[in-house]
Amino acid sequence: MFTYSLDEYTELRPLLMEHTKPLFELTDRSRDQLRHWLPWVDQVTDMEHTSSFITNALKQAAENGGFTAGIWLKGELAGIIGFHEINWTSRSVSIGYWLGKGFEGQGLMTSACRVLVDYALVTLDLNRVEIRCATNNKRSRAIPERLGFVLEGVIRQAEKLPKGYVNHAVYGMLQHEWELLR
């Protein structure tokens, strides 16, 4: 696990148990906007749910299967980014992310994603990074598009959210493509 400064005010830090309260509070404050795109939001009703999430993230990191980091802006938790399960056989990984209310539109997530893509494709020597977003989530889709990912297709009714099923846009970046963009 690592800590990485994105700029003088922003850094990525691995989630630890001591982050349970700030993560739950950020989730709770952002609930109305997050539930539009994330199916788990309404199941996070107390700090124990958040504690369990962090415990699972730490276990995944310890097993070299991925990791989850907090995005910290001026010492305040602004959002989450991480690798879903790394497929070491296929040398691929998927990135998931979200920002809390009031932290959008500042370039935080694009910067954080750039770091994770670089880490995956250069440091870990993976071959592929994937990002999936609901097709109507324009802000989330803008991130892989800004980073030069290729839109590979749409998976219909890929996820059930409180207001029904959403389609997912699937974006991919291959190692040799990233080398040309760096």
Side-chain angles (χ1 to χ4, degrees):
M1 294 241 229
F2 64 94
T3 297
Y4 187 91
S5 292
L6 298 175
D7 59 38
E8 63 183 301
Y9 302 110
T10 316
E11 65 182 5
L12 302 178
R13 284 190 240 152
L15 277 185
L16 303 172
M17 294 310 295
E18 65 199 55
H19 301 136
T20 299
K21 185 176 182 193
L23 179 55
F24 176 75
E25 290 173 348
L26 179 64
T27 304
D28 202 41
R29 272 194 320 271
S30 308
R31 195 173 296 281
D32 289 342
Q33 78 181 41
L34 294 177
R35 81 168 39 96
H36 290 290
W37 308 117
L38 300 171
W40 51 263
V41 173
D42 290 328
Q43 282 72 53
V44 178
T45 58
D46 57 42
M47 284 204 301
E48 188 166 317
H49 293 120
T50 302
S51 175
S52 186
F53 169 76
I54 294 174
T55 298
N56 289 336
L58 290 169
K59 181 178 182 222
Q60 182 185 34
E63 295 171 351
N64 203 26
F67 69 89
T68 304
I71 302 168
W72 299 84
L73 177 64
K74 298 179 183 173
E76 185 178 359
L77 184 60
I80 300 295
I81 188 167
F83 290 155
H84 296 144
E85 187 69 31
I86 298 172
N87 182 328
W88 290 105
T89 303
S90 295
R91 294 180 38 235
S92 65
V93 71
S94 175
I95 295 178
Y97 50 80
W98 61 269
L99 279 174
K101 185 176 181 178
F103 293 101
E104 314 94 328
Q106 301 177 52
L108 298 174
M109 196 56 76
T110 301
S111 295
C113 274
R114 184 178 288 112
V115 168
L116 261 65
V117 172
D118 203 61
Y119 184 69
L121 298 177
V122 177
T123 304
L124 296 180
D125 194 33
L126 299 179
N127 183 58
R128 175 183 166 78
V129 174
E130 183 177 287
I131 296 175
R132 293 183 181 203
C133 314
T135 54
N136 292 335
N137 190 340
K138 292 178 182 6
R139 284 187 164 196
S140 191
R141 289 186 68 176
I143 294 162
E145 290 170 0
R146 266 187 227 111
L147 294 174
F149 276 65
V150 173
L151 176 61
E152 297 176 332
V154 173
I155 300 173
R156 298 176 306 145
Q157 295 188 3
E159 188 171 44
K160 187 172 190 299
L161 297 174
K163 291 189 177 187
Y165 287 94
V166 294
N167 298 338
H168 277 185
V170 179
Y171 292 91
M173 175 66 70
L174 302 178
Q175 187 181 57
H176 74 273
E177 295 168 337
W178 188 249
E179 289 170 2
L180 296 173
L181 294 172
R182 289 179 78 213

